[in-house]
Amino acid sequence: MTHNIRKGRVFLTNLALWQLLQEIAPTDCTWREDNIGFLVGRRDAAVQTVLFSLDMSLDVIQEAADRGATVIVTHHPVIFHAARTITDETATGRRVLSLIEKGIASICLHTNYDGAADGLNDLLARTVGLTDCNVLVNADGAYGRYGTVTGAQTLPSYVDYVQEVLGAKAIRFWDAGRPGSKVCVGSGGSGGLFERVIAAGCDTFIT
């Protein structure tokens, strides 16, 4: 791993931090249309403090600056679609400009963290009570997990359980009149998994 030594202290560079995070969320778990990784910043700049956030907003960037953070690691990428310009006329441009002006780097772990071992899908599967889990993946690289729920439940009762364990204020669901027993979960935009969910014989899909 790349590291620098200054005044007897070992510290990470931005690039080395990204390399370290890839050990947790390998890039081979990434949906092919996604934009993950070290997205903004200087590769050799030293990492002082890291702020973790779900999204990259101007408020998050300001909080990082106030806390003295030099890197923000988010789940959702600050740059998703290809950008032809970086100006203050777009939300993406304003965020990237703010990062650059404040000297803060951006690293994103998105679908690679969704699909990684012990990543978001594994956490979601455990949280909603799945056992004997298997990986479900489609041609685009979108990952899910499917397994069984101990004791078949009516869907409304399982929905109540899921809402409680996730702390969700609201859940939308369709009751197909089948008990919830073989369940698939897909964090994020996993609509593309639907055909695979059916092929796996699941009666319930949580996304």
Side-chain angles (χ1 to χ4, degrees):
M1 179 181 296
T2 302
H3 65 269
N4 293 324
I5 300 177
R6 181 179 295 172
K7 296 181 180 178
R9 294 183 60 193
V10 177
F11 63 85
L12 293 175
T13 64
N14 288 330
L15 182 60
L17 175 60
W18 164 231
Q19 292 169 340
L20 177 64
L21 290 171
Q22 288 178 74
E23 298 178 14
I24 301 170
T27 58
D28 60 3
C29 293
T30 307
W31 174 50
R32 66 183 181 186
E33 301 295 330
D34 202 5
N35 187 33
I36 63 155
F38 177 36
L39 302 183
V40 178
R42 294 187 179 278
R43 293 174 298 174
D44 294 332
V47 175
Q48 303 295 336
T49 302
V50 182
L51 180 74
F52 291 86
S53 177
L54 177 65
D55 290 300
M56 182 74 74
S57 68
L58 292 176
D59 287 342
V60 167
I61 296 170
Q62 186 58 54
E63 180 182 351
D66 293 343
R67 292 176 178 268
T70 56
V71 183
I72 301 173
V73 177
T74 61
H75 185 53
H76 297 134
V78 64
I79 303 170
F80 188 78
H81 300 291
R84 290 182 176 272
T85 61
I86 297 295
T87 73
D88 59 1
E89 294 180 311
T90 67
T92 296
R94 288 189 290 272
R95 292 166 188 156
V96 172
L97 286 171
S98 183
L99 287 167
I100 293 171
E101 290 164 355
K102 292 177 170 59
I104 299 173
S106 167
I107 295 175
C108 166
L109 306 179
H110 194 211
T111 52
N112 55 323
Y113 190 51
D114 287 329
D118 288 326
L120 289 185
N121 277 305
D122 281 332
L123 175 61
L124 181 58
R126 289 194 298 268
T127 302
V128 299
L130 301 192
T131 58
D132 302 321
C133 286
N134 299 278
V135 175
L136 191 71
V137 60
N138 70 4
D140 292 329
Y143 285 78
R145 300 290 189 273
Y146 68 97
T148 57
V149 177
T150 303
Q153 308 178 46
T154 64
L155 189 66
S157 65
Y158 185 54
V159 167
D160 289 342
Y161 170 75
V162 170
Q163 184 168 5
E164 179 182 355
V165 296
L166 293 182
K169 293 181 179 180
I171 289 182
R172 293 186 297 175
F173 71 97
W174 169 258
D175 188 349
R178 302 170 63 188
S181 58
K182 190 171 184 180
V183 178
C184 180
V185 299
S187 61
S190 298
L193 287 173
F194 192 67
E195 296 299 327
R196 296 292 179 96
V197 173
I198 295 172
C202 296
D203 51 61
T204 306
F205 184 27
I206 301 172
T207 187

